[in-house]
Amino acid sequence: DDETPGAALPFFDGFESVSLSNAWVGISAGNGRIQVGEGELAPFEGSGHVSVDATNNIYGLNELILTADLSGQTNVVLDFWENNYDSAREAMPVRFMDSTNADGIAISGDGVTWHRLFEASAVRSNYVNRSINLSAFAATNGLAPDANFKIKFQQYDRYPLPIYGRCFDNVQLYDPARVADVRLTVRESE
């Protein structure tokens, strides 16, 4: 397990760069593909987003793992925009070890045991905002968020966008009682 503290709160990533920031690790298996920045599909906002899909009609798993420093935090919200091109999904188990061929978002205190936070929809959509009380979910599942807390966005399928795949934009972690607009706060601190 990486002992380097994760991204500090408030955290915002609009994926405007052509690569993932240091807060993220991207892992693809099989014919999985992760693309960051501008692409053929429009982002929710700005000029970039992150997209995950597969190539050559061969199944691939994509995992985007965000490490965040949530030590001492008790009211953290995960907020993001998702564009779903999958009309099917692989159900994510409620709990799993390491990796699983599934669609959704999971959290982990140790990077090994994962708890499903969000089960991806099988309904095609344009960008939809998702907002989840991460602290409440962690407490319900007996997790104590620390300096190396992990959030995994993942996708599993065999076709390229725009046939199947998912896009994510404007991923935010914040305490709504402390921060009114995460993007302004993060930009002011840079």
Side-chain angles (χ1 to χ4, degrees):
D1 189 29
D2 183 10
E3 294 303 319
T4 304
L9 267 64
F11 172 83
F12 174 81
D13 197 337
F15 304 103
E16 300 303 313
S17 171
V18 295
S19 60
L20 293 171
S21 76
N22 292 338
W24 296 93
V25 172
I27 303 167
S28 291
N31 273 22
R33 176 174 61 177
I34 298 170
Q35 299 179 88
V36 182
E38 295 181 29
E40 64 182 70
L41 303 170
F44 167 71
E45 183 176 77
S47 62
H49 59 179
V50 62
S51 61
V52 289
D53 65 357
T55 60
N56 301 326
N57 298 336
I58 298 172
Y59 277 94
L61 173 65
N62 295 300
E63 299 172 308
L64 290 163
I65 303 170
L66 171 63
T67 301
D69 182 354
L70 302 185
S71 52
Q73 302 289 333
T74 59
N75 189 30
V76 177
V77 169
L78 168 65
D79 187 274
F80 60 95
W81 288 84
E82 176 197 28
N83 194 345
N84 178 24
Y85 287 87
D86 280 337
S87 58
R89 70 170 164 78
E90 297 295 327
M92 180 178 277
V94 172
R95 185 175 167 187
F96 61 94
M97 305 295 279
D98 298 317
S99 291
T100 186
N101 292 334
D103 297 301
I105 299 173
I107 62 173
S108 176
D110 62 9
V112 176
T113 303
W114 295 89
H115 302 263
R116 182 183 68 214
L117 174 68
F118 171 77
E119 183 153 32
S121 171
V123 177
R124 286 176 160 276
S125 65
N126 290 321
Y127 269 104
V128 175
N129 182 240
R130 313 286 187 192
S131 188
I132 303 164
N133 188 317
L134 190 61
S135 295
F137 182 87
T140 299
N141 286 277
L143 298 171
D146 61 10
N148 295 294
F149 200 72
K150 312 281 187 205
I151 304 164
K152 182 191 299 192
F153 293 70
Q154 66 179 62
Q155 180 264 348
Y156 179 73
D157 212 313
R158 65 181 183 169
Y159 297 109
L161 285 163
I163 299 168
Y164 284 137
R166 295 179 191 283
C167 301
F168 299 100
D169 205 356
N170 290 3
V171 174
Q172 305 177 69
L173 286 171
Y174 65 98
D175 178 340
R178 295 181 185 176
V179 177
D181 189 329
V182 176
R183 290 173 289 175
L184 290 176
T185 303
V186 171
R187 288 184 184 141
E188 289 171 0
S189 68
E190 292 177 340

